[in-house]
Amino acid sequence: MTSKKIRPGRLLKAPESFLDPQFIAEVKQHGFDETRRAFLRKSFLAASAALTAAPLGEALAAPAQGDPDILNLPPWTTTLGKPVASRPYGSPAKYEMNLVRRESPGLASVSQASVAFTPLQGMFGIITASGLHYERHHQGWEEIDPSRHRLMINGLVKRPRVYTMDDLMRLPSVSRIHFLECGANSAMEWGNVAVPTVQYTHGMLSGSEFTGVLLSTLLEDAGFDRKRGQYLLAEGADGSSMTRTLPMERVLDDCLVAYGMNGEMLRPENGYPLRLVAPGIQGVSWVKWLRRLEVGDKPWNAKDETSQYADLMPDGMQRQYATIQEAKSVITSPSGGQKLIDKGFYNVTGLAWTGRGKVKRVDVSFDGGINWHAARLEQPVLPKALTRFNIDWVWNGAPAILQSRVIDDTGFVQPTYTQLREVRGTRSVYHNNAIQSWKVAESGEVSNVQV
Amino acid sequence: MRLPIVFGCFAAAVTLTAQADYAGVGRDATPAEVAAWDIDVRPDFLGLPPGSGSVEDGEELWIEKCSSCHGDFGDANHVFPPLIGNTTTEDIETGHVASLKKGGAVRTTIAKVSTVSTLWDFINRAMPWNAPKSLSTDQVYAILAYLLNLAEIVPNDYVLSNENIAEVQQRMPNRNGMTRDHGMWTIDGKPDTHNTACMKNCKKEATILSSLPDYARGANGDLSKQNREYGPVRGVPTPEPGAAAPAAAATDDKTPGPPTAILAANGCTGCHGMDQKVVGPAFSHVAEKYHGQADIVSRLSGRIRNGGSGSWGSIPMPPQPQLTDAEIQTIVEWLAAGAKH
C-alpha cells in the first residue's frame, strides 16, 4: 500500500524530509519550475508550523545561522574527560537506561518463576548484550561458587565421571554463535493481540557467542553406550534442579557445555558457571547451572515435558517433545509502541532465525502481505544463529502494515497466523512462529495487529 | 587412489593424538556421589526409591507445607496455576482428559500430565517452593497420595508405595493424551505448515483480524520510557491504567531504592509480595499491622534475623543470617514508614 522500492543510500535529509517522494520525483522529471517552487514555499510554511507544534521537531528547526549544537561547542568538547578505569567493568551510557529487561505484568505472581524480556526494539546486529539477555527461571537464580561447582556424567556410561570447573576449562574448547529462544516466546499472542511491543511479543530471544566443551568430548571421555544411549538428561544445580531430555543425535551434533558467553563468563541469570547449549532447540532445554548429565535408553517425561512445554492441539492431544524451534522472524524497528519521527526514509530492520539450519532469505511486506520485497541480510549468516535483515523504506505518511517472512535453507516458509491456527488451533501456548504484523497509522504510531 | 589413502592415515593419526586421553582432567564418580545426585525417576519407575505414604499423612503435610501456594485442595491459582480439577471419572477410564478437547476449562496439572512418575520426581526435586529437597521419601509418597486422592484417582484410605505406583499409572486421567507424531523432535522432521513465498498480489486485501485493545496500551508501562529518546523512532507515551498500575510501576518506572533492592537480592520477594499475600504476608500488610507500634523496629528486626511463625499463619519464615544489621535496619525502617514502593 505504501511500499516504494528505492535505491540503497538515498537519504532525505532534515529539514526537507516533509517533502513527499512524489514531489521529488516530479521535480526530477519536470525540473524546478514556478508551479513547483510555489508548492515548495507553501510546504516550508506548513512544515515550520508543524515543527513549532511538535516538540519532536525542535531539533530540526535550526536558526538562520545554523544548529546551536554545532555553533556553540558543548561541554564534552571543551572540558577534560574522565580517566581510564573510572568504571572498571563499564556500563552503558546514562542515556541508554530505557532499554532494559522487563517483566510483563500479570504473567506470573512470583518473580522467581517468571520472565524478563529482552528489549529487541532498540538492539542491533545478532549478538545480545549479556546484561540484556532474557531471563526465565523456574525457581529463582543463584550465584554459584564456581570452585564448588561440579558436573557429573552417569547412566549408560563405562565410567561415571566428575569434572570441576578447573577440569572443564582445561579441555579443548569451541566458540559458537547461536540463538536462544524460549519455546513459549510469543505465547501470549496465540489467540489474539495481547501485548504492545516487540519486547513482550518476541523478547524471549537472544543471540550470543558461547564458549565451552563439545558434549561429544565429555560423553566419549565417560565411554557412553552409543547403541542404547539414545537420550540424554540434563539437570540443573538450582532449587528446582530442572531436568530435560535431549535426543542423542542432536547432542552429538553440536551441543556444548558452555561456561563463556560473549567473551566473559556466563552471567548468573544465564546459568553461571555452566549451562547446556543446545543449538536450534527451545530454551528450556538449555539447562542452566548444569550439574549432571545422564545417558539413557528412554526419555524421562520431566515436569517441563508433560505438564509444561507440551503443545495442546485442537483435538485435545498434547504434542510432547516438540523441541526444534522452527523458522521465525520479526521486524524490530519500527515496531509496536514506537512512533516514526517524520515521513521519509527509514531502514526497516529485524531478526530472522531457524532451528533447522541457516536463514536463506527474508522478505518484507509494507501492505500487510499483498506484495513482498527481498530484504538485505547482514553478514555473517550462521547456522542456528540470529540473522539481521534490513530493507529501505520511504514512508509517505499513509497507513501501512509491516511484516517479515523468513525462508530457511530447508525451503520452509514462515507461516501466517491463519495457516498456523488451521493446524494447531489457538491453545498451544508454545512454538508460535507466525508472521508478525505492525500497523503504521497516519500519525506515525506503530501498533501490534494480526492480519 | 593413493593420495586419499595417505591423507586418510594422516588424519587418523591426528585424531588419535587429539583424543589420546585428557590426562589429569576429571575423575571417576564414586557410587555415593552418583546416589547423592541421581534422583530422577523415569516413567518406567527407574530411579524410584522404595517407600510409602498414606493419603491421611499426605493431607497433614499438605496443609503444613503446600497449601499456602496451592490451596487446601490443590485448586488455588493465586501463586501458581491450579494442580487439581477439570478431570472426571470418565477421563480415568479413557486416559484422555475431555476438558482439554473442549477448551475454555482451566488446564490443571493433573489434567495435563501423563505420567505419575513426573509428579513424584518433581515434588521430590523441587518442592516445597522455598525449601526444595527437604522432604523425606515417605513424605513425597504421602503428599502425592493426597494429590491423587483429590483428583479421585485413589481412595481415601490409600497408601501409595513403590509396589503399587504402577497400578496408579493405569488410572492417570491423561495417560493417553500425549502424541509424538510431529516434526519437531528431529532436525529433519516434516513441518505441519506449508506457506509459499509468493511475492506479488498474494491476496486481495489485508484485513486486520486483531489489534491491541485500548485498555492494554499502557498495561506494560509507559512505552516512551522503553525506547531511546533519539533515533528514527520514539516510544509512544502510554499512561498506565489506574487499576493495573502497581506491578508495572514497580518494575518499569523506578529504579528500586535500597530497601526493595535488598528484598529482591535476598530472595524475600519469593515469599512476600508488595501488596499481595504469596507464601508469607505482603509487605504492605506487615506495615499496616505494626503501624505506629513503639517496638516495631526491635520486633521486626528479630523476626527477620531469626525467622519464626504464628503471626501470619503456620508457615515458618526461615532465619536470614546473611543480612547485615544495616540491611535489616533499612528494611524495618522502610516497613515502619509504610512499605512504600
Side-chain angles (χ1 to χ4, degrees):
Chain A
M1 130 179 42
T2 55
S3 153
K4 191 161 163 78
K5 193 82 176 100
I6 64 146
R7 284 192 200 91
R10 201 159 101 46
L11 191 71
L12 301 179
K13 288 188 222 76
E16 293 91 338
S17 55
F18 58 85
L19 286 181
D20 191 290
Q22 183 72 33
F23 176 81
I24 293 166
E26 281 177 26
V27 171
K28 280 195 174 157
Q29 195 185 341
H30 303 286
F32 201 33
D33 59 20
E34 191 45 45
T35 319
R36 284 166 190 89
R37 273 178 206 281
F39 177 81
L40 190 58
R41 275 193 292 273
K42 273 186 244 155
S43 299
F44 263 119
L45 288 174
S48 310
L51 291 173
T52 319
L56 281 181
E58 275 168 18
L60 304 179
Q65 287 162 330
D67 184 343
D69 281 330
I70 296 174
L71 299 176
N72 310 321
L73 295 180
W76 48 85
T77 311
T78 53
T79 54
L80 175 63
K82 298 167 189 69
V84 296
S86 44
R87 293 194 293 198
Y89 185 84
S91 51
K94 63 183 177 183
Y95 303 102
E96 299 300 315
M97 294 307 155
N98 285 353
L99 294 171
V100 292
R101 295 189 285 223
R102 293 171 194 273
E103 281 189 88
S104 191
L107 258 194
S109 306
V110 194
S111 295
Q112 269 84 348
S114 186
V115 184
F117 297 84
T118 293
L120 299 175
Q121 67 271 23
M123 301 183 65
F124 317 114
I126 62 172
I127 300 293
T128 306
S130 294
L132 297 178
H133 189 299
Y134 81 90
E135 291 180 74
R136 168 80 176 104
H137 318 306
H138 295 258
Q139 209 145 349
W141 62 272
E142 301 279 359
E143 197 153 1
I144 291 176
D145 176 350
S147 71
R148 297 181 57 200
H149 189 69
R150 305 287 182 268
L151 176 68
M152 182 184 289
I153 301 183
N154 73 311
L156 299 176
V157 295
K158 285 202 188 87
R159 303 174 301 277
R161 299 284 284 168
V162 171
Y163 304 91
T164 60
M165 291 305 297
D166 298 348
D167 292 325
L168 294 169
M169 293 168 88
R170 286 168 70 179
L171 287 170
S173 68
V174 295
S175 294
R176 305 267 174 87
I177 294 174
H178 290 299
F179 78 83
L180 169 51
E181 183 186 23
C182 177
N185 205 18
S186 314
M188 292 177 278
E189 303 270 307
W190 264 106
N192 48 266
V193 168
V195 285
T197 77
V198 72
Q199 180 160 17
Y200 308 105
T201 58
H202 289 74
M204 285 196 268
L205 172 74
S206 298
S208 299
E209 184 194 63
F210 295 98
T211 300
V213 184
L214 282 171
L215 253 175
S216 54
T217 304
L218 296 171
L219 290 172
E220 277 162 21
D221 190 47
F224 79 108
D225 185 334
R226 282 183 176 273
K227 201 170 160 200
R228 289 167 63 220
Q230 293 303 305
Y231 301 90
L232 186 76
L233 184 81
E235 179 180 81
D238 59 317
S240 70
S241 297
M242 270 274 310
T243 46
R244 280 291 304 195
T245 305
L246 287 137
M248 190 57 85
E249 188 193 11
R250 293 283 83 245
V251 166
L252 295 178
D253 184 29
D254 55 8
C255 289
L256 313 182
V257 170
Y259 43 80
M261 185 167 89
N262 298 332
E264 61 181 0
M265 283 297 289
L266 288 161
R267 296 286 174 97
E269 297 92 324
N270 304 124
Y272 179 92
L274 198 67
R275 87 172 304 169
L276 193 71
V277 167
I281 289 176
Q282 61 181 341
V284 68
S285 296
W286 295 43
V287 173
K288 294 187 284 191
W289 313 292
L290 183 69
R291 78 165 188 179
R292 193 169 67 91
L293 299 164
E294 182 174 341
V295 179
D297 57 356
K298 288 176 186 163
W300 274 263
N301 276 26
K303 187 264 279 177
D304 288 313
E305 296 168 344
T306 51
S307 86
Q308 313 289 331
Y309 299 90
D311 308 7
L312 183 60
M313 293 294 109
D315 64 358
M317 294 297 281
Q318 294 180 102
R319 281 185 182 173
Q320 200 178 16
Y321 296 110
T323 294
I324 304 281
Q325 294 294 100
E326 292 187 299
K328 186 168 172 181
S329 71
V330 66
I331 293 171
T332 54
S333 182
S335 59
Q338 297 181 333
K339 189 174 182 180
L340 302 173
I341 55 171
D342 203 348
K343 293 174 196 171
F345 182 88
Y346 286 89
N347 178 59
V348 173
T349 187
L351 293 165
W353 62 98
T354 171
R356 296 203 197 271
K358 279 187 189 178
V359 167
K360 188 167 76 183
R361 198 176 93 203
V362 178
D363 301 324
V364 170
S365 173
F366 300 99
D367 56 13
I370 299 170
N371 297 293
W372 295 84
H373 315 274
R376 301 184 300 276
L377 300 185
E378 280 184 12
Q379 297 299 316
V381 176
L382 299 168
K384 303 171 192 172
L386 295 181
T387 297
R388 174 65 62 174
F389 66 86
N390 300 288
I391 190 166
D392 300 340
W393 184 46
V394 176
W395 182 51
N396 64 6
I401 298 174
L402 274 53
Q403 299 181 326
S404 66
R405 175 182 75 186
V406 60
I407 303 159
D408 72 15
D409 61 359
T410 70
F412 176 81
V413 184
Q414 185 182 4
T416 64
Y417 262 108
T418 306
Q419 289 167 334
L420 197 62
R421 287 171 182 153
E422 269 170 16
V423 189
R424 303 191 200 162
T426 58
R427 299 182 296 144
S428 164
V429 181
Y430 306 98
H431 301 110
N432 174 0
N433 66 328
I435 290 171
Q436 171 68 43
S437 306
W438 304 118
K439 187 182 91 175
V440 180
E442 282 176 340
S443 64
E445 182 171 337
V446 188
S447 63
N448 184 5
V449 297
Q450 293 179 355
V451 299
Chain B
M1 284 299 286
R2 278 189 117 174
L3 195 62
I5 292 168
V6 173
F7 181 75
C9 292
F10 176 69
V14 170
T15 310
L16 266 179
T17 317
Q19 286 187 346
D21 73 288
Y22 302 115
V25 177
R27 62 169 175 82
D28 289 355
T30 69
E33 286 173 337
V34 173
W37 275 12
D38 184 0
I39 58 171
D40 59 78
V41 180
R42 272 196 336 197
D44 58 2
F45 304 111
L46 185 76
L48 182 70
S52 66
S54 67
V55 172
E56 199 183 344
D57 290 347
E59 182 173 7
E60 203 171 306
L61 288 162
W62 184 266
I63 299 300
E64 185 194 329
K65 294 174 185 289
C66 318
S67 63
S68 62
C69 289
H70 296 296
D72 287 357
F73 305 102
D75 58 338
N77 66 355
H78 68 279
V79 183
F80 299 108
L83 300 176
I84 303 295
N86 290 326
T87 59
T88 63
T89 47
E90 201 191 348
D91 297 337
I92 294 174
E93 295 301 312
T94 62
H96 190 187
V97 171
S99 68
L100 290 180
K101 287 182 214 176
K102 289 191 300 236
V106 173
R107 281 177 257 170
T108 63
T109 297
I110 199 69
K112 291 185 290 184
V113 75
S114 58
T115 40
V116 68
S117 61
T118 308
L119 297 174
W120 203 102
D121 176 273
F122 193 70
I123 295 168
N124 182 52
R125 76 171 54 246
M127 290 292 117
W129 170 247
N130 56 352
K133 302 177 190 70
S134 62
L135 300 170
S136 71
T137 296
D138 286 347
Q139 285 178 329
V140 175
Y141 276 106
I143 287 167
L144 178 54
Y146 177 65
L147 269 181
L148 294 167
N149 177 251
L150 287 175
E152 298 176 50
I153 296 167
V154 302
N156 293 344
D157 59 356
Y158 202 73
V159 179
L160 180 71
S161 73
N162 56 306
E163 301 286 335
N164 61 17
I165 196 167
E167 294 160 24
V168 173
Q169 175 59 36
Q170 294 314 307
R171 289 175 56 76
M172 287 295 281
N174 205 38
R175 64 187 177 278
N176 300 322
M178 295 288 182
T179 176
R180 294 185 202 167
D181 183 18
H182 58 75
M184 291 160 76
W185 172 251
T186 55
I187 195 156
D188 53 359
K190 276 200 183 139
D192 59 355
T193 60
H194 307 282
N195 199 6
T196 54
C198 167
M199 298 302 281
K200 292 281 164 213
N201 302 315
C202 303
K203 55 188 179 184
K204 281 195 184 133
E205 55 184 352
T207 312
I208 292 178
L209 304 173
S210 174
S211 50
L212 194 71
D214 276 346
Y215 66 80
R217 284 179 87 230
N220 288 63
D222 183 353
L223 303 179
S224 71
K225 305 264 171 57
Q226 302 184 22
N227 282 275
R228 288 196 182 88
E229 286 161 18
Y230 61 94
V233 295
R234 300 289 183 275
V236 177
T238 51
E240 297 147 44
T251 51
D252 288 336
D253 291 335
K254 284 180 207 160
T255 311
T260 45
I262 298 168
L263 299 173
N266 288 280
C268 312
T269 50
C271 292
H272 302 278
M274 285 297 161
D275 297 307
Q276 179 195 20
K277 177 188 180 296
V278 184
V279 176
F283 294 115
S284 61
H285 298 167
V286 177
E288 208 174 299
K289 180 168 176 169
Y290 293 96
H291 178 70
Q293 295 186 15
D295 58 347
I296 179 169
V297 172
S298 65
R299 280 180 69 183
L300 288 181
S301 300
R303 257 306 150 77
I304 294 170
R305 171 68 74 212
N306 304 317
S309 72
S311 310
W312 299 92
S314 60
I315 312 277
M317 173 166 139
Q320 305 294 329
Q322 81 286 2
L323 289 170
T324 63
D325 289 343
E327 283 173 330
I328 289 182
Q329 193 176 343
T330 306
I331 294 169
V332 172
E333 282 171 2
W334 172 74
L335 286 167
K340 292 192 179 65
H341 56 92

